[in-house]
């Protein structure tokens, strides 16, 4: 499926309050959708994306460009995992390793992937 169609599914399925948890996580809910994602640390410049709670008092930003990059691995190789994420987003992975799971769960909830162990497959 081309990214534009995957993006449409994501934006349709992932709404404020969407639960992105799996059986072994808690707190992962979408706080904002189509948020203005800016971060000098990660070089996000007014991108559109999601803000997701990852802890009682913490959250991460997931821009659509990050989802597009990670979806590229899923659509091209049929697999998205932590190794891919760390190669493309080492700083985010170091700061909050839960980025890997959160991005994967966006794909699961949108109906684009299934979780198999520590990776996500089409």
């Amino acid at each position: 499926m081309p990214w534009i169609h995957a993006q449409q599914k994501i934006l349709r399925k992932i709404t404020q309050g969407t639960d992105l948890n799996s059986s072994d996580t808690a707190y992962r809910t979408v706080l904002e959708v189509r948020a203005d994602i800016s971060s000098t640390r990660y070089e996000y410049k007014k991108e559109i994306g999601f803000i997701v709670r990852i802890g009682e008092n913490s959250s991460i930003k997931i821009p659509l460009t990050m989802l597009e990059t990670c979806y590229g691995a899923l659509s091209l190789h049929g697999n998205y995992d932590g190794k891919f994420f760390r190669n493309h987003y080492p700083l985010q992975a170091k700061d909050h390793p839960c980025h890997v799971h959160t991005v994967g769960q966006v794909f699961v909830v949108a109906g684009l992937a299934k979780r198999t162990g520590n990776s996500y497959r089409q």
Side-chain angles (χ1 to χ4, degrees):
M1 170 183 309
W3 165 245
I4 189 70
H5 298 306
Q7 179 180 313
Q8 289 169 350
K9 282 185 89 166
I10 290 167
L11 292 172
R12 215 173 25 253
K13 297 277 189 168
I14 308 300
T15 60
Q16 186 174 4
T18 298
D19 182 341
L20 296 177
N21 288 295
S22 62
S23 60
D24 53 346
T25 60
Y27 296 110
R28 305 234 182 352
T29 56
V30 177
L31 299 175
E32 291 184 47
V33 176
R34 294 182 185 255
D36 178 1
I37 306 294
S38 295
S39 170
T40 53
R41 178 163 177 77
Y42 302 133
E43 299 182 13
Y44 303 153
K45 296 178 177 99
K46 292 191 175 248
E47 299 186 46
I48 300 298
F50 302 94
I51 298 177
V52 178
R53 179 186 314 268
I54 58 166
E56 200 169 314
N57 297 308
S58 57
S59 61
I60 58 174
K61 297 174 179 181
I62 307 288
L64 285 175
T65 54
M66 177 185 286
L67 292 172
E68 181 178 11
T69 298
C70 295
Y71 181 75
L74 189 64
S75 64
L76 185 62
H77 305 293
N79 182 60
Y80 158 74
D81 59 17
K83 182 178 179 183
F84 179 86
F85 189 88
R86 286 185 296 277
N87 283 338
H88 287 82
Y89 300 99
L91 185 56
Q92 291 90 328
K94 180 181 175 200
D95 288 350
H96 296 287
C98 63
H99 274 88
V100 175
H101 170 75
T102 303
V103 167
Q105 286 300 109
V106 165
F107 296 149
V108 169
V109 172
L112 300 169
K114 293 182 178 164
R115 185 174 180 203
T116 56
N118 290 328
S119 66
Y120 296 84
R121 299 191 183 278
Q122 280 188 316

